[in-house]
Amino acid sequence: MFQSFEVKSARETVAPRVAMLREAMRKAHVDAFLVPHADEYQNEYIPPCAERLAWISGFTGSAGFAIVTAERAILFVDGRYTLQSANQTDPAVFSIESLVDCPPENWLATNALNGWKIGLDLALVTFAGQTRFAKVLEKSGATLAACANLIDVVWDDRPAEPMRKISLQKLKHAGERARDKLAQLANAVGKHGADMCLLADPASIAWAFNIRGSDVAHTPLPLARAIIRAAGDPLIFIDQRKLNREADAYLTQLAKVCAPSTLEAEIAAIAPGAKVMLDPDRVSSLIAGMVEKAGGTIVKKRDPVTLPRATKNQTEIDGCRSAHLRDGVAMTRFLAWLDRQPAGSLDEIAAASRLEEIRALTAVEMGSELLDISFDTISGAGPNGAIVHYRVDKASNRLLEANSVFLLDSGAQYRDGTTDITRTMALGTPPAMARTDFTLVLKGHIAIATARFPAGTRGVDLDPLARNALWKTGRDYAHGTGHGVGSFLAVHEGPQSISKRGMEPLLEGMIISNEPGFYREGQWGIRIENLVLVRPAEALVGGNVPVHSFETLSLAPIDRRLIDTNLLTREELVWLDAYHARVEATLAPYLDDADRSWLKAACAGL
């Protein structure tokens, strides 16, 4: 199993741990301490040794922030985690605020007192983030105080840093040699007028050097940094213990391989008088400080790997299609199996475990291997489905009861691609309101799937298409409509998104999710998710501009039992029937007779 269902947080630990932190704060002479959900590499998903926010607050989500003062403790989460955070933390210790509506810096601007010292580990905050906090605190008279991480001071059994071996992403999966990628990056650094670029995002390192790792659960990242020079060999900072003989020989041909502990010394040696390009939203304030201390001039530019990584080449696109084919076969086998189970005989853990088993078996049968899941499976029965990023454990585990709704959001990591798919299923006869909710979400899903848009269109421009049917009936959801997805990399990959904050133009080759939803607290959750590929612009007869469109990559039936056809237009029904016809034609050859018969019924035209 690639996931555990053990209980990861406990409310009873929150109060004593906050008390220990406050004692450490008193000894360090700080009035407040900041605890971001972050590691030293600014990853979204982080290794156990960096789960400081979970340790202090009990909250185990992938985005959050805490501020602890002598008298108060505040936990900031976004709309995905409102219900989860309330369930996990101790309300007698932590109050909960919106990470979007009341960001931590805004809270400090209102509540920090003149003369306060705000303790902060500069390794865990970006250069831009530290600048933002400092600017806000100027008005209050409080100051940031760089200090050792006080969580680490009191966390006695903190796990060790991960030291797992890296693997090579061969040309048949990467589509481009690392040497060529690095040359293009060096050229980009020079074009920006810089002498070198400091890469701090492990996903950028993985893509640029054609390597993958397993330092972070479910995301094949090697925790590493690099310096790309406009002239001269690159430097890669990675622990030698992560390299076998093949990997060591490979990297040595591409770059100078350095120990992570030598980063500051190397910067001190090559940065004086140099222009050092770095992404202020990805590089930590600690590393930016190393550059300034060495006498380098910081050139603030976006990580030059970001767009090349997001716009997949043909090899990566073909690999993603292959990954979705086998994933679609596995999903269909699972859905058929689920439908055969007696009502009330399964629980959330059993369903998630069975899906993982089927994925692994299917991958082997189709000549591949399930290397990991792409995130902890969201297996939400009934009211648990309304918790947007619900993670089932042995304490929360529910039965899949008759005449209810079951939400399953899952994904896989294959060498040739990363998948992410959500299906919401009827168990028996679903409530009438659930069918209405589902159909309204489906209308939004189809609106994105069928969208055509000119070059320069951003995710924020498309987001209302997914919400329009819901808005008309007073409904909405508190998460984005779509996130970027990597190529055997992070399941959440920027810069593209379809959301209220999606300001990045959608470019040919980008892969993005299409996942509108709706959630009735205490009753059910609805989400329908496919991954889509931005296709090349084409000219339409009578049009005056070429337009992009989406190719749907995910292949699995959408539950017809939850659809109120009276709420769909003819065009929406045509799309759904065409999608199901494609799903059946593509997947049927890989199924046995029983599953093929089930698929035929599940894909019958409406």
Side-chain angles (χ1 to χ4, degrees):
M1 291 293 294
F2 291 111
Q3 58 191 318
S4 166
F5 303 106
E6 297 301 322
V7 178
K8 289 189 175 181
S9 66
R11 285 187 174 189
E12 62 269 18
T13 67
V14 173
R17 288 176 177 179
V18 170
M20 287 192 291
L21 175 59
R22 284 175 171 149
E23 176 61 17
M25 290 164 55
R26 185 187 65 79
K27 291 179 179 178
H29 305 292
V30 297
D31 301 286
F33 188 70
L34 307 185
V35 189
H37 180 273
D39 65 1
E40 291 78 357
Y41 297 85
Q42 310 305 318
N43 289 310
E44 177 185 15
Y45 296 108
I46 58 182
C49 63
E51 289 283 6
R52 299 174 178 92
L53 181 62
W55 186 86
I56 194 67
S57 70
F59 168 64
T60 61
S62 63
F65 199 102
I67 299 174
V68 178
T69 74
E71 304 294 335
R72 300 177 65 182
I74 304 89
L75 175 63
F76 301 82
V77 299
D78 63 32
R80 297 172 296 171
Y81 294 117
T82 303
L83 296 180
Q84 179 179 331
S85 60
N87 290 336
Q88 289 186 319
T89 197
D90 184 345
V93 179
F94 276 95
S95 59
I96 299 174
E97 294 283 355
S98 168
L99 194 59
V100 176
D101 299 333
C102 179
E105 59 269 28
N106 290 10
W107 188 92
L108 285 171
T110 302
N111 293 278
L113 301 179
N114 185 37
W116 265 17
K117 287 186 176 181
I118 313 295
L120 176 64
D121 180 352
L122 294 182
L124 302 186
V125 64
T126 64
F127 188 36
Q130 189 263 348
T131 302
R132 189 167 59 248
F133 273 107
K135 185 176 181 179
V136 166
L137 291 174
E138 281 179 4
K139 301 176 182 178
S140 67
T143 57
L144 284 177
C147 64
N149 198 298
L150 300 182
I151 298 287
D152 296 354
V153 171
V154 297
W155 187 356
D156 290 336
D157 57 349
R158 181 173 169 239
E161 294 183 11
M163 287 293 162
R164 299 183 180 92
K165 299 294 184 183
I166 71 165
S167 63
L168 307 186
Q169 188 75 342
K170 304 289 188 181
L171 183 62
K172 66 179 180 179
H173 294 126
E176 189 176 2
R177 296 190 311 161
R179 188 173 301 281
D180 295 333
K181 291 180 178 181
L182 293 168
Q184 292 164 16
L185 291 173
N187 186 51
V189 171
K191 284 185 176 180
H192 283 296
D195 300 296
M196 65 192 72
C197 176
L198 209 157
L199 296 180
D201 183 349
S204 293
I205 311 301
W207 183 89
F209 286 86
N210 284 345
I211 59 175
R212 298 295 188 267
S214 54
D215 287 334
V216 179
H218 312 321
T219 307
L221 296 179
L223 295 184
R225 299 184 178 93
I227 294 175
I228 307 296
R229 294 192 277 192
D233 290 338
L235 289 73
I236 183 169
F237 298 84
I238 188 167
D239 198 293
Q240 196 74 29
R241 288 172 288 180
K242 298 179 183 180
L243 308 180
N244 59 23
R245 184 176 299 177
E246 180 188 24
D248 186 45
Y250 169 80
L251 286 178
T252 301
Q253 294 175 30
L254 295 173
K256 178 182 178 181
V257 180
C258 308
S261 60
T262 66
L263 177 63
E264 185 167 13
E266 292 288 353
I267 290 174
I270 64 177
K275 293 182 178 179
V276 182
M277 178 177 156
L278 57 81
D279 188 335
D281 291 314
R282 292 299 313 178
V283 173
S284 73
S285 183
L286 180 69
I287 294 176
M290 294 177 186
V291 174
E292 293 177 325
K293 180 181 177 182
T297 300
I298 291 176
V299 179
K300 297 179 183 178
K301 294 289 182 181
R302 183 159 73 178
D303 181 335
V305 176
T306 300
L307 275 182
R309 188 177 77 231
T311 50
K312 309 298 184 278
N313 61 43
Q314 192 59 52
T315 298
E316 292 170 323
I317 291 169
D318 291 342
C320 190
R321 290 190 181 117
S322 295
H324 279 86
L325 171 60
R326 75 180 71 93
D327 208 59
V329 173
M331 277 297 300
T332 299
R333 287 174 171 172
F334 169 81
L335 292 172
W337 171 85
L338 180 68
D339 247 11
R340 299 183 192 116
Q341 308 312 304
S345 65
L346 285 179
D347 58 29
E348 296 166 337
I349 290 176
S353 299
R354 181 58 180 154
L355 175 57
E356 189 173 318
E357 290 171 359
I358 292 174
R359 271 197 168 108
L361 290 169
T362 300
V364 171
E365 289 176 12
M366 297 181 69
S368 182
E369 181 184 3
L370 176 67
L371 297 173
D372 203 336
I373 55 176
S374 51
F375 54 94
D376 282 331
T377 299
I378 299 170
S379 178
N384 284 346
I387 303 172
V388 178
H389 269 209
Y390 171 68
R391 178 195 170 276
V392 57
D393 59 33
K394 291 178 179 178
S396 66
N397 192 23
R398 287 181 62 94
L399 284 175
L400 277 59
E401 298 173 343
N403 304 324
S404 65
V405 176
F406 176 49
L407 186 154
L408 188 71
D409 186 350
S410 68
Q413 292 284 10
Y414 306 104
R415 180 61 69 173
D416 52 359
T418 300
T419 69
D420 182 3
I421 184 170
T422 307
R423 288 297 181 263
T424 305
M425 288 79 75
L427 304 174
T429 303
M433 185 62 75
R435 295 181 72 236
T436 300
D437 291 343
F438 183 93
T439 309
L440 293 172
V441 170
L442 177 59
K443 289 173 75 70
H445 180 93
I446 295 172
I448 295 296
T450 58
R452 291 181 179 272
F453 48 95
T457 299
R458 307 160 300 171
V460 68
D461 303 318
L462 297 182
D463 188 64
L465 299 180
R467 300 177 190 269
N468 188 46
L470 291 164
W471 284 348
K472 286 181 177 179
T473 61
R475 294 165 167 88
D476 201 2
Y477 51 95
H479 59 76
T481 298
H483 56 82
V485 177
S487 179
F488 188 43
L489 275 173
V491 74
H492 292 162
E493 178 181 87
Q496 72 273 28
S497 72
I498 301 174
S499 70
K500 296 174 182 178
R501 295 184 290 175
M503 299 302 174
E504 189 71 28
L506 300 181
L507 304 177
E508 174 187 344
M510 286 181 168
I511 295 173
I512 196 164
S513 66
N514 171 11
E515 53 177 309
F518 183 70
Y519 310 89
R520 286 197 180 275
E521 184 175 349
Q523 297 185 60
W524 56 72
I526 308 290
R527 188 158 64 249
I528 305 168
E529 178 186 17
N530 287 333
L531 298 191
V532 297
L533 169 71
V534 181
R535 291 193 291 204
E538 58 178 324
L540 300 180
V541 176
N544 65 342
V545 293
V547 294
H548 294 297
S549 60
F550 290 124
E551 171 191 339
T552 295
L553 298 169
S554 307
L555 298 166
I558 295 169
D559 199 333
R560 297 160 68 255
R561 296 166 297 186
L562 278 164
I563 298 173
D564 181 349
T565 56
N566 294 318
L567 297 177
L568 295 180
T569 66
R570 174 172 174 76
E571 290 77 11
E572 290 165 342
L573 286 166
V574 166
W575 179 89
L576 185 60
D577 283 350
Y579 174 71
H580 275 154
R582 177 181 162 224
V583 167
E584 183 183 359
T586 305
L587 302 184
Y590 300 93
L591 304 175
D592 63 23
D593 289 344
D595 288 349
R596 192 180 303 117
S597 177
W598 179 90
L599 178 63
K600 184 177 181 64
C603 292
L606 289 172

